[in-house]
Amino acid sequence: MIFSRAINRDLSRLEGKGGFRLDRLMIILCYVALITVTILPVFMIFYYAFWDGTKIDIATFKLVIFQKSNIRCMWNTLVIGVCSTALATVVGVFFAWLLGRSDIPMKGLMKFLFSIPFMIPPFLAAMSWDMMFSGRGGYVNKALMSLFNLTKSPFNINSVAGIIVIEVVYYFPFVYMQVVSALERMDPTLEESARIAGASQSYVIRKITLPLTVPAISSGMLLVLITSLSNYGIPAMLGYSQNIFTLPTMITALMDRAGGSFEGVRQSAALSIVLVFIVSIALLVQRRLMTRGRYDIIKGKSMRPMLIKLRGAKYPLLAFSLVFLSLIVVAPIVMIILVSFVKAYGLPFLAENLTLANYRRIFVGNIMVRDSVKNSLFLAFSAASICLLLGTMLAYVIYKIKPKGGIALEMMAVLPYSLPGTVMAIGCILAWSGAFFGITLYNTIWIILVAYIARYLSYVLKSSSAALQQVHVSLEEAARSCGASHTQTLKDVTLPLIKPAMISGFFLVFLPCMRELTTSILLYGPKSRTLGVAIYQLRINGQIAPAAALSVVTITLIIICNNIVKAITRDKKRG
Amino acid sequence: MHPARIVLRGCRVEKVELKNICISYGEHAVLKDFSLKIEPGQIMGIVGPSGCGKTTIARAICGFIKPQQGTVKIDGKTMFSHEDRVDIPPEQRHIGVVFQDYAVWPHLSVYDNIAYPLKKRRLSKEEISPQVQNALEQVNMVGYEKYMPSQLSGGQQQRVAIARALTSSSDFLIMDEPITNLDAKLREQMLVEIRMLQQRLGTTIIYITHDQEAALQLCDKIVILELDGSIAQIGSDEEIIRNPANRFVFQFIGVSNFIPVVVEDGKVFFDLEKKILFKSLIHEKMPGPKAMLGIRPMDIVFDDDSPVRATVAQSVFLGNMYNYFVRLPGMEIRVQQMVISENAKSYSEEQEVGLAFLEERYFEREDA
C-alpha cells in the first residue's frame, strides 16, 4: 500500500501567490459588499446633514435640533424609552424570579406564553391594543362605558402613557429571558451557603440573588432601551392620530412631507444623527457593562436551582400571573382574529355580524395586498439567502482566514445592527438615488432588499461564526492531510458541519423580513409594498377589518416559519 | 536543477529532513535554527514539556504553517524551502496525520471517513472498498463501517483516525498526542497496537507527546526538546535513560532529587546549610569543584553504616513501595524502597537514618 507521490510539477509556488485565489477573493468580496451595503448609507447621512451642496453647513443642523416640534419629539422619545425600560425591567425581573426560582406551578405554559410576543411584530400588537383601548371606539372602552354608564372612555391608549404601557407589555420578555437564564445558570450553593450561615429568605434574595443577576438585568434593560428608542411601529400606530411623535416617526414624517426636496431630506438626515447619537450612548453604556465585572460564579452548565416555596402566596400569585399573561399575550391575538371576521370595525361580535368577506377582499379584490404578500415573500427569501451567503463568508473570513483588518470587517457588519431601522432607510435612500455611479434604486423593490441585507446581515454572521468557532482547526487540517485542497476542504468538511447553523441563520433573517415595517415604510414604491406596509396603509385608510385579516395571515406565516426553525434546531441537537 | 531531482543511487535518503527551521508567532520565537533527521521505518518520538514547540514541528512538516526560514524535505524531496521559494500544499505532501482530538468528521460515517483520502485520489469504488477494509483490520475496527463517530467511544474514534491516516499514507504517519485524551488502561493498549501496526507495515511514525513514559515505551528513537525548542538530546530509550545529556533531560524523564555538592580538600561535600561529608574521593565525571548531584529516589537506600545522616519527615506506603521524604539540613529529598527488596523495612517518621547513594550523576551547577 505504498502510494506514489504525485508532486505538483510546478514546485515553486511563489510565496506571494501562496494565499491567493479563494481566500484573497473572499476577503475582497467582503470588503466590497460591506462598504456598499453599510458604509455608504451611513456616510450619506452625515454628508447630507452637514453639507449644503457647496460647503460645510451646521446652521441647518442647529435649526433642526432646536426646532420646537423636534425638541418635543426628542423629549417624547426619551420619556417613552426611559419609562418603558424601567417598568419592563420591574415586570421582567419579577417574572424571571417567579419562574426561575419559585415553586409556582404551570411553568411550561407560562414559558410558552412569554415566547409569543417575539412572534408578533410590534406594530401589529399596537394595532390590536388600539382596537381594544382606542379613545374613540375601542372595543374594551365601549364595553366598559356601557357597563358602568360612563360618558367618557376610561382609557386612552393614543397617548404617551399608552405607548409606554404597550412597549412595556411588548418588551418585558427581553428582560425576562436574560434574567431567567442567568438565574438558571447560577450556582445554587451560593444561596444555600447564605441560608446555612443564617440569612433569611428575603435577605438572600436582596443581598445574594439580585446582585449576582445585575449583569443580566442591566443587559436586558439596555436591550429594551435601545429597541424602544429606535422603535417605529408602536408610536406610529398609537401616536400618529394624536400628533404624538418620537424621533423615528418624526424622521419618517419629515421624509414623507419633504417629497424629495433637498431641504426636507437634510432635515431628516439631521434628526437621524440625533437619534443615532442617543442610541450610541446607550450602546456605549452597554459595552461598558458587558466588559466590566462579569461574575464567574454563573456557570455555563445548567444546575438545579434551589426553589423557594411560596406557601400561601402560591395560588394568588399563580392566578395573578395567568390573568396578567393572558391579558397581555392572548387578548391582542384574540382581538385581531375577532376583528378580522367582523363585517365592519366597531360592530359588536355577534353571529350576524361575522363574515369571511375581509379575507376574500384582501386576497381576491386587492392587487396591493396580493403584491405585498408576493413582495414580502420575495424580499424575505432573497434577503435571507444573500445574508446567508455573505454572512457565512464574512464569518469564515473573520474567524478562519483572520486577515489583518478583520476587526474592521466585523465592525462594519455589526454597525447597521446598532443603527435604528429608520436611519438605515434614510441612508439607503440617500445612497441609492443616483448618488453613486448613477444607480437609482429608489421606488424599486431592490432598495428594500439592500436595506434588509444591511440590517440583518449581522444575524447570520453571529450564528455562522458561533458554528465556525466550533469547527476545530484539526478537522480541516485532517482533510488537507488526506489530500483535499483548500476549496475541497471547505466543501466537504467545513460547510457540511455548519449547515444547521446556516439554516437557522436563514430563518433568523427570513422571519424579521416578513414582518418588517420600519424601513419598508420609508422605502416602498407604488409596486413594492411589503406586508407590513400593506397592513399599515389599510389601517390608516380606515379599512381596519381587512387590516386585521391580513395581520392574521401574516402571523400565521410567521408561526409556520418559526416552527420550521424549531424543528431544524432540534434536529441539530439530536445529531 | 532542483535539489529534489538529485538523489544519488545508493545514498540513504532520510525520511524527513528539517534544516535550519525558524518559526515565530509574532514576537515569540518557537523554533530557532531547528534541524532534525528522521530515518525511515522507525518510530521517532518528539518529547518535551508543553509549549516547547513539538506541535509546531509537526505542523511545519505537514505544511499547516510556513516557517520563516529553512527547508523541509520528505523522502529527499523538497516540501518547503524558504530559499528556493518552494511550498508544497499539505494535500500534496502525503502524510497521514492523527490529531490529539481525533478530528474524525462527525458528519461522515466510519467508512466515509476512512475512504475520504482515497476518494480524493479519485480511486474507483471497487478500489476503495478493499483498502478501507484493510485499514479497518489494522486497527481492529471491522464491522463498524456504518457507525457515525458520535456512536463510538474515544478509543474507537482514535482508531478510526489512525485508519484514516493509514489510507492517506501507509508509509509515513505523524501522531500528535494521539492517546492523551484516552483513559490510562486504553492508553497502554493503544501503545501496544501502534507498535504492532508499525512493525507489520514498516511505517515511519513521528510520535509527538509530552508523556516521556509513553515515548520511552514506544519509540525507537527519541528527541527531547528543551522549553525553548532546542534539542536537548537525541537517542534510543536506553541511551537517554543511561546517559541523560543534561540536568533537564534527567529531570524530565523521571522523578529526581538534586543536591548541590562542593569539593574541598579532595573530598566531596553536600553544599547545604551545613556541609556534610559525602565521599572522600572525587568522581571522575564531576564537571568542576561545584556541581549538582542528581539521583533517582529508587537509587537511594537506607544504610545504617552510612556517614550521611538524615531524618524521616514523611512515610507513605504505596502498596508495592514505600515513599519517603527524608530531611537533610535545609532540604528534603525523596527516597523510594520496593517492598520486595530484602532490606526494606518500614521507617517511622522522625527516625534518624543513614543514606547510601547508588548511582548518582553530576551536572553543571548554575552558581558554579
mmCIF file of all heavy atoms in Angstrom, chain B residues 241 250 255-257 278 293-302 333-338 355-361:
data_model
loop_
_atom_site.group_PDB
_atom_site.id
_atom_site.type_symbol
_atom_site.label_atom_id
_atom_site.label_comp_id
_atom_site.label_asym_id
_atom_site.label_seq_id
_atom_site.Cartn_x
_atom_site.Cartn_y
_atom_site.Cartn_z
ATOM 1 N N ILE B 241 18.004 7.020 29.084
ATOM 2 C CA ILE B 241 17.891 6.682 30.497
ATOM 3 C C ILE B 241 19.277 6.535 31.127
ATOM 4 O O ILE B 241 19.541 7.038 32.218
ATOM 5 C CB ILE B 241 17.068 5.391 30.671
ATOM 6 C CG1 ILE B 241 15.629 5.641 30.213
ATOM 7 C CG2 ILE B 241 17.091 4.927 32.121
ATOM 8 C CD1 ILE B 241 14.779 4.396 30.108
ATOM 9 N N PHE B 250 17.514 14.615 32.548
ATOM 10 C CA PHE B 250 17.431 13.759 33.721
ATOM 11 C C PHE B 250 16.150 14.027 34.498
ATOM 12 O O PHE B 250 15.424 13.108 34.878
ATOM 13 C CB PHE B 250 18.656 14.018 34.615
ATOM 14 C CG PHE B 250 18.700 13.151 35.836
ATOM 15 C CD1 PHE B 250 19.069 11.809 35.731
ATOM 16 C CD2 PHE B 250 18.378 13.662 37.080
ATOM 17 C CE1 PHE B 250 19.105 11.006 36.859
ATOM 18 C CE2 PHE B 250 18.406 12.852 38.211
ATOM 19 C CZ PHE B 250 18.775 11.521 38.103
ATOM 20 N N VAL B 255 11.231 10.999 38.138
ATOM 21 C CA VAL B 255 11.278 11.710 39.414
ATOM 22 C C VAL B 255 12.740 11.796 39.842
ATOM 23 O O VAL B 255 13.488 10.827 39.714
ATOM 24 C CB VAL B 255 10.473 10.954 40.484
ATOM 25 C CG1 VAL B 255 10.424 11.749 41.769
ATOM 26 C CG2 VAL B 255 9.083 10.671 39.973
ATOM 27 N N SER B 256 13.163 12.957 40.323
ATOM 28 C CA SER B 256 14.587 13.103 40.597
ATOM 29 C C SER B 256 14.831 13.995 41.803
ATOM 30 O O SER B 256 14.001 14.828 42.149
ATOM 31 C CB SER B 256 15.286 13.699 39.378
ATOM 32 O OG SER B 256 14.508 14.755 38.861
ATOM 33 N N ASN B 257 15.961 13.773 42.454
ATOM 34 C CA ASN B 257 16.440 14.640 43.527
ATOM 35 C C ASN B 257 17.687 15.347 43.044
ATOM 36 O O ASN B 257 18.500 14.760 42.323
ATOM 37 C CB ASN B 257 16.839 13.819 44.756
ATOM 38 C CG ASN B 257 15.643 13.146 45.390
ATOM 39 O OD1 ASN B 257 14.682 13.785 45.768
ATOM 40 N ND2 ASN B 257 15.709 11.818 45.486
ATOM 41 N N PHE B 278 30.263 13.722 51.951
ATOM 42 C CA PHE B 278 29.527 12.754 51.163
ATOM 43 C C PHE B 278 30.459 11.633 50.718
ATOM 44 O O PHE B 278 30.224 10.458 50.994
ATOM 45 C CB PHE B 278 28.888 13.466 49.961
ATOM 46 C CG PHE B 278 28.264 12.547 48.959
ATOM 47 C CD1 PHE B 278 27.333 11.586 49.362
ATOM 48 C CD2 PHE B 278 28.580 12.642 47.611
ATOM 49 C CE1 PHE B 278 26.756 10.741 48.436
ATOM 50 C CE2 PHE B 278 27.996 11.790 46.686
ATOM 51 C CZ PHE B 278 27.085 10.832 47.105
ATOM 52 N N LEU B 293 24.364 17.260 42.143
ATOM 53 C CA LEU B 293 24.240 15.813 42.145
ATOM 54 C C LEU B 293 22.788 15.451 41.884
ATOM 55 O O LEU B 293 21.885 16.001 42.506
ATOM 56 C CB LEU B 293 24.686 15.276 43.499
ATOM 57 C CG LEU B 293 24.584 13.774 43.766
ATOM 58 C CD1 LEU B 293 25.697 13.370 44.717
ATOM 59 C CD2 LEU B 293 23.251 13.364 44.354
ATOM 60 N N GLY B 294 22.578 14.587 40.906
ATOM 61 C CA GLY B 294 21.219 14.160 40.613
ATOM 62 C C GLY B 294 21.062 12.683 40.893
ATOM 63 O O GLY B 294 21.962 11.892 40.568
ATOM 64 N N ILE B 295 19.950 12.310 41.471
ATOM 65 C CA ILE B 295 19.754 10.889 41.794
ATOM 66 C C ILE B 295 18.269 10.565 41.830
ATOM 67 O O ILE B 295 17.438 11.387 42.225
ATOM 68 C CB ILE B 295 20.442 10.524 43.130
ATOM 69 C CG1 ILE B 295 20.421 9.001 43.334
ATOM 70 C CG2 ILE B 295 19.782 11.238 44.313
ATOM 71 C CD1 ILE B 295 21.560 8.491 44.153
ATOM 72 N N ARG B 296 17.931 9.368 41.330
ATOM 73 C CA ARG B 296 16.537 8.914 41.362
ATOM 74 C C ARG B 296 16.201 8.433 42.767
ATOM 75 O O ARG B 296 17.061 7.854 43.448
ATOM 76 C CB ARG B 296 16.344 7.751 40.395
ATOM 77 C CG ARG B 296 16.741 8.054 38.979
ATOM 78 C CD ARG B 296 15.556 8.496 38.160
ATOM 79 N NE ARG B 296 15.978 8.857 36.827
ATOM 80 C CZ ARG B 296 15.673 9.996 36.224
ATOM 81 N NH1 ARG B 296 14.941 10.883 36.855
ATOM 82 N NH2 ARG B 296 16.067 10.240 35.006
ATOM 83 N N PRO B 297 14.969 8.588 43.197
ATOM 84 C CA PRO B 297 14.569 8.127 44.534
ATOM 85 C C PRO B 297 14.838 6.643 44.743
ATOM 86 O O PRO B 297 15.143 6.212 45.861
ATOM 87 C CB PRO B 297 13.072 8.410 44.571
ATOM 88 C CG PRO B 297 12.856 9.486 43.585
ATOM 89 C CD PRO B 297 13.881 9.305 42.523
ATOM 90 N N MET B 298 14.738 5.852 43.648
ATOM 91 C CA MET B 298 14.968 4.412 43.778
ATOM 92 C C MET B 298 16.438 4.078 44.024
ATOM 93 O O MET B 298 16.767 2.988 44.460
ATOM 94 C CB MET B 298 14.514 3.686 42.504
ATOM 95 C CG MET B 298 13.032 3.707 42.256
ATOM 96 S SD MET B 298 12.122 2.800 43.496
ATOM 97 C CE MET B 298 12.342 1.143 42.912
ATOM 98 N N ASP B 299 17.323 5.022 43.674
ATOM 99 C CA ASP B 299 18.751 4.737 43.784
ATOM 100 C C ASP B 299 19.336 5.177 45.116
ATOM 101 O O ASP B 299 20.546 5.164 45.312
ATOM 102 C CB ASP B 299 19.505 5.435 42.641
ATOM 103 C CG ASP B 299 19.130 4.824 41.300
ATOM 104 O OD1 ASP B 299 18.704 3.652 41.289
ATOM 105 O OD2 ASP B 299 19.254 5.510 40.275
ATOM 106 N N ILE B 300 18.475 5.590 46.020
ATOM 107 C CA ILE B 300 18.947 5.896 47.375
ATOM 108 C C ILE B 300 18.473 4.758 48.279
ATOM 109 O O ILE B 300 17.313 4.349 48.209
ATOM 110 C CB ILE B 300 18.364 7.232 47.886
ATOM 111 C CG1 ILE B 300 18.658 8.357 46.886
ATOM 112 C CG2 ILE B 300 18.916 7.574 49.263
ATOM 113 C CD1 ILE B 300 18.027 9.695 47.256
ATOM 114 N N VAL B 301 19.377 4.221 49.087
ATOM 115 C CA VAL B 301 18.950 3.157 50.002
ATOM 116 C C VAL B 301 19.290 3.548 51.436
ATOM 117 O O VAL B 301 20.176 4.368 51.682
ATOM 118 C CB VAL B 301 19.615 1.797 49.665
ATOM 119 C CG1 VAL B 301 19.089 1.268 48.355
ATOM 120 C CG2 VAL B 301 21.116 1.908 49.673
ATOM 121 N N PHE B 302 18.563 2.950 52.348
ATOM 122 C CA PHE B 302 18.848 3.180 53.769
ATOM 123 C C PHE B 302 20.013 2.299 54.187
ATOM 124 O O PHE B 302 20.022 1.104 53.893
ATOM 125 C CB PHE B 302 17.605 2.870 54.609
ATOM 126 C CG PHE B 302 16.478 3.821 54.341
ATOM 127 C CD1 PHE B 302 15.320 3.409 53.691
ATOM 128 C CD2 PHE B 302 16.578 5.150 54.745
ATOM 129 C CE1 PHE B 302 14.295 4.289 53.457
ATOM 130 C CE2 PHE B 302 15.545 6.044 54.507
ATOM 131 C CZ PHE B 302 14.406 5.622 53.858
ATOM 132 N N ILE B 333 14.590 15.333 50.494
ATOM 133 C CA ILE B 333 14.719 14.541 49.281
ATOM 134 C C ILE B 333 13.781 13.347 49.362
ATOM 135 O O ILE B 333 13.253 13.017 50.426
ATOM 136 C CB ILE B 333 16.180 14.069 49.033
ATOM 137 C CG1 ILE B 333 16.658 13.235 50.211
ATOM 138 C CG2 ILE B 333 17.079 15.239 48.764
ATOM 139 C CD1 ILE B 333 17.981 12.568 49.940
ATOM 140 N N ARG B 334 13.581 12.744 48.190
ATOM 141 C CA ARG B 334 12.629 11.659 48.101
ATOM 142 C C ARG B 334 13.374 10.345 47.992
ATOM 143 O O ARG B 334 14.339 10.232 47.237
ATOM 144 C CB ARG B 334 11.801 11.863 46.842
ATOM 145 C CG ARG B 334 10.407 11.388 46.972
ATOM 146 C CD ARG B 334 9.599 12.147 45.979
ATOM 147 N NE ARG B 334 8.629 11.237 45.393
ATOM 148 C CZ ARG B 334 7.739 11.608 44.514
ATOM 149 N NH1 ARG B 334 7.722 12.843 44.083
ATOM 150 N NH2 ARG B 334 6.880 10.745 44.050
ATOM 151 N N VAL B 335 12.927 9.335 48.733
ATOM 152 C CA VAL B 335 13.540 8.010 48.698
ATOM 153 C C VAL B 335 12.422 7.008 48.488
ATOM 154 O O VAL B 335 11.374 7.108 49.106
ATOM 155 C CB VAL B 335 14.274 7.706 50.016
ATOM 156 C CG1 VAL B 335 14.885 6.304 49.996
ATOM 157 C CG2 VAL B 335 15.325 8.743 50.314
ATOM 158 N N GLN B 336 12.662 6.050 47.548
ATOM 159 C CA GLN B 336 11.647 5.022 47.344
ATOM 160 C C GLN B 336 12.272 3.655 47.565
ATOM 161 O O GLN B 336 13.390 3.399 47.146
ATOM 162 C CB GLN B 336 11.069 5.115 45.917
ATOM 163 C CG GLN B 336 10.098 6.270 45.787
ATOM 164 C CD GLN B 336 9.639 6.493 44.357
ATOM 165 O OE1 GLN B 336 10.267 6.004 43.421
ATOM 166 N NE2 GLN B 336 8.574 7.236 44.202
ATOM 167 N N GLN B 337 11.520 2.808 48.242
ATOM 168 C CA GLN B 337 12.001 1.459 48.543
ATOM 169 C C GLN B 337 10.968 0.463 48.064
ATOM 170 O O GLN B 337 9.804 0.548 48.438
ATOM 171 C CB GLN B 337 12.150 1.290 50.059
ATOM 172 C CG GLN B 337 13.191 2.156 50.673
ATOM 173 C CD GLN B 337 14.520 1.456 50.705
ATOM 174 O OE1 GLN B 337 14.760 0.617 51.552
ATOM 175 N NE2 GLN B 337 15.379 1.774 49.767
ATOM 176 N N MET B 338 11.399 -0.505 47.223
ATOM 177 C CA MET B 338 10.463 -1.545 46.828
ATOM 178 C C MET B 338 10.179 -2.406 48.057
ATOM 179 O O MET B 338 11.060 -2.664 48.869
ATOM 180 C CB MET B 338 11.062 -2.427 45.726
ATOM 181 C CG MET B 338 11.274 -1.725 44.402
ATOM 182 S SD MET B 338 9.791 -0.958 43.749
ATOM 183 C CE MET B 338 8.913 -2.407 43.170
ATOM 184 N N LEU B 355 21.924 7.238 54.798
ATOM 185 C CA LEU B 355 21.555 7.108 53.392
ATOM 186 C C LEU B 355 22.768 6.747 52.560
ATOM 187 O O LEU B 355 23.842 7.324 52.716
ATOM 188 C CB LEU B 355 20.975 8.414 52.856
ATOM 189 C CG LEU B 355 19.667 8.915 53.474
ATOM 190 C CD1 LEU B 355 19.289 10.237 52.832
ATOM 191 C CD2 LEU B 355 18.564 7.892 53.310
ATOM 192 N N ALA B 356 22.616 5.747 51.652
ATOM 193 C CA ALA B 356 23.680 5.427 50.707
ATOM 194 C C ALA B 356 23.182 5.738 49.308
ATOM 195 O O ALA B 356 22.026 5.491 48.994
ATOM 196 C CB ALA B 356 24.051 3.955 50.826
ATOM 197 N N PHE B 357 24.047 6.305 48.464
ATOM 198 C CA PHE B 357 23.660 6.741 47.114
ATOM 199 C C PHE B 357 24.281 5.797 46.105
ATOM 200 O O PHE B 357 25.487 5.651 46.027
ATOM 201 C CB PHE B 357 24.126 8.184 46.872
ATOM 202 C CG PHE B 357 23.413 9.169 47.750
ATOM 203 C CD1 PHE B 357 23.664 9.220 49.136
ATOM 204 C CD2 PHE B 357 22.494 10.042 47.227
ATOM 205 C CE1 PHE B 357 23.002 10.114 49.942
ATOM 206 C CE2 PHE B 357 21.823 10.944 48.030
ATOM 207 C CZ PHE B 357 22.078 10.980 49.399
ATOM 208 N N LEU B 358 23.438 5.104 45.300
ATOM 209 C CA LEU B 358 23.946 4.044 44.440
ATOM 210 C C LEU B 358 24.440 4.550 43.098
ATOM 211 O O LEU B 358 25.529 4.260 42.674
ATOM 212 C CB LEU B 358 22.856 2.987 44.217
ATOM 213 C CG LEU B 358 22.373 2.273 45.476
ATOM 214 C CD1 LEU B 358 21.373 1.203 45.125
ATOM 215 C CD2 LEU B 358 23.550 1.680 46.244
ATOM 216 N N GLU B 359 23.631 5.266 42.391
ATOM 217 C CA GLU B 359 24.024 5.658 41.040
ATOM 218 C C GLU B 359 23.799 7.143 40.831
ATOM 219 O O GLU B 359 22.841 7.561 40.229
ATOM 220 C CB GLU B 359 23.222 4.860 40.002
ATOM 221 C CG GLU B 359 23.919 4.819 38.654
ATOM 222 C CD GLU B 359 23.124 4.023 37.627
ATOM 223 O OE1 GLU B 359 22.277 3.203 38.009
ATOM 224 O OE2 GLU B 359 23.360 4.262 36.438
ATOM 225 N N GLU B 360 24.719 7.931 41.374
ATOM 226 C CA GLU B 360 24.496 9.367 41.270
ATOM 227 C C GLU B 360 25.147 9.912 39.998
ATOM 228 O O GLU B 360 26.041 9.305 39.430
ATOM 229 C CB GLU B 360 25.037 10.087 42.508
ATOM 230 C CG GLU B 360 26.533 10.299 42.556
ATOM 231 C CD GLU B 360 27.298 9.126 43.158
ATOM 232 O OE1 GLU B 360 26.731 8.017 43.233
ATOM 233 O OE2 GLU B 360 28.461 9.312 43.518
ATOM 234 N N ARG B 361 24.624 11.049 39.544
ATOM 235 C CA ARG B 361 25.154 11.730 38.368
ATOM 236 C C ARG B 361 25.501 13.149 38.757
ATOM 237 O O ARG B 361 24.963 13.683 39.722
ATOM 238 C CB ARG B 361 24.086 11.810 37.272
ATOM 239 C CG ARG B 361 23.826 10.532 36.604
ATOM 240 C CD ARG B 361 22.471 10.578 35.945
ATOM 241 N NE ARG B 361 21.806 9.308 36.138
ATOM 242 C CZ ARG B 361 22.113 8.224 35.438
ATOM 243 N NH1 ARG B 361 23.033 8.295 34.486
ATOM 244 N NH2 ARG B 361 21.517 7.084 35.668
#
